[in-house]
Amino acid sequence: QYRQPVGIPGRFQSPAFFGQGRMGQVYVAWDAEAGRRVAYKVLQPELDHPHFRDQFTCEAQLTAELFHPGVVPVYGVVEDGCG
C-alpha cells in the first residue's frame, strides 16, 4: 500500500511501487520540488519502532556518503511522523 510522506505534501507525484526489501518499500515518482524523477524508500509499517527508524535513517545517511556508479545517490532523509 502506497504512503505519501506527510512532511512534504504533494511533492511526489504519480508514485508507482518499484520494489520491497527487508526494511522498506521503494517507489518511483516525479519530485515536483526538484523537477526530476526519483525513487524513495518508506519504512515497512510493521517496523515502526525507534530502533528500526534509527537503523533505517543510519543506512540512508551512510549511503548518502558513497559516490559510486553502482550506488543510487541519496539526496535527502525525511521523517514524516506517520508512524
Side-chain angles (χ1 to χ4, degrees):
Q1 169 106 12
Y2 164 69
R3 270 185 30 190
Q4 171 82 17
V6 170
I8 35 184
R11 179 171 178 179
F12 299 117
Q13 300 172 354
S14 303
F17 179 76
F18 184 76
Q20 183 169 321
R22 184 179 70 83
M23 290 193 71
Q25 300 169 343
V26 178
Y27 297 87
V28 175
W30 179 256
D31 183 339
E33 185 177 298
R36 65 177 166 221
R37 192 168 158 229
V38 298
Y40 65 93
K41 190 173 181 181
V42 178
L43 184 65
Q44 299 280 17
E46 62 271 14
L47 298 179
D48 185 26
H49 181 275
H51 168 76
F52 293 115
R53 285 194 303 269
D54 290 347
Q55 186 177 348
F56 191 77
T57 300
C58 182
E59 175 187 306
Q61 291 169 336
L62 289 171
T63 304
E65 295 177 13
L66 301 175
F67 297 97
H68 186 276
V71 177
V72 176
V74 173
Y75 294 110
V77 178
V78 176
E79 186 168 342
D80 66 12
C82 278

